Amino acid sequence: RDGVMGGSPKVDRADRDLDGDSIVENIVVDRGMCTSDGNCYWNVFRSPREGSSECSRYVGTFAGAALEPLADKGEDNMRDVRGYWNLQGGRLLLQSYRFVRGGYQLTDALLCKRAADDRLECAEDQ
């Protein structure tokens, strides 16, 4: 029920093990809240440790049409994640998330466009 969900959600999942403990974190999207460009809000729930009586806990939302777990890690050994948000005209907004103080937080955003040879050209503020 936490995160970005509509009144009558069309739930889909993209569960992944983000902390390397062989227990997947639940990543849930309401497809009814996605844009026509395929952009969605992916709600992340951390699974309790084996043998724990706790419930899964909401730890953040990733925005993007696609998600990419990264090699770098934040607190609690949780992997950084990059979301790819489709914009008009072949442009993308890349948003990076890091797990700090018990939840995922947006740490970086980068505007990119797809070049004629399919490379991503990105602009960074200096």
Side-chain angles (χ1 to χ4, degrees):
R1 295 183 184 179
D2 290 320
V4 180
M5 299 294 277
S8 299
K10 298 174 188 170
V11 176
D12 199 1
R13 300 175 72 118
D15 298 346
R16 297 190 171 120
D17 180 10
L18 296 174
D19 61 2
D21 66 356
S22 299
I23 301 172
V24 296
E25 276 59 58
N26 299 314
I27 303 176
V28 182
V29 65
D30 176 358
R31 290 287 182 190
M33 300 288 293
C34 297
T35 70
S36 61
D37 293 323
N39 299 313
C40 301
Y41 297 97
W42 301 87
N43 305 299
V44 185
F45 297 86
R46 190 156 189 201
S47 300
R49 301 200 189 280
E50 188 84 23
S52 172
S53 62
E54 297 176 1
C55 296
S56 293
R57 186 174 61 84
Y58 172 72
V59 294
T61 299
F62 304 137
L67 302 176
E68 177 187 9
L70 303 173
D72 292 339
K73 296 180 180 180
E75 294 175 1
D76 292 344
N77 204 39
M78 298 288 281
R79 292 178 72 168
D80 292 358
V81 174
R82 179 180 296 141
Y84 294 77
W85 188 269
N86 291 316
L87 301 170
Q88 295 180 352
R91 295 176 304 141
L92 296 168
L93 180 63
L94 305 181
Q95 298 180 100
S96 298
Y97 299 86
R98 173 161 277 205
F99 194 85
V100 291
R101 294 187 293 276
Y104 273 100
Q105 297 180 9
L106 180 64
T107 58
D108 194 23
L110 189 59
L111 181 62
C112 302
K113 68 178 181 176
R114 188 149 318 270
D117 63 359
D118 215 26
R119 288 178 302 114
L120 279 182
E121 296 175 340
C122 301
E124 281 194 69
D125 289 337
Q126 296 299 331

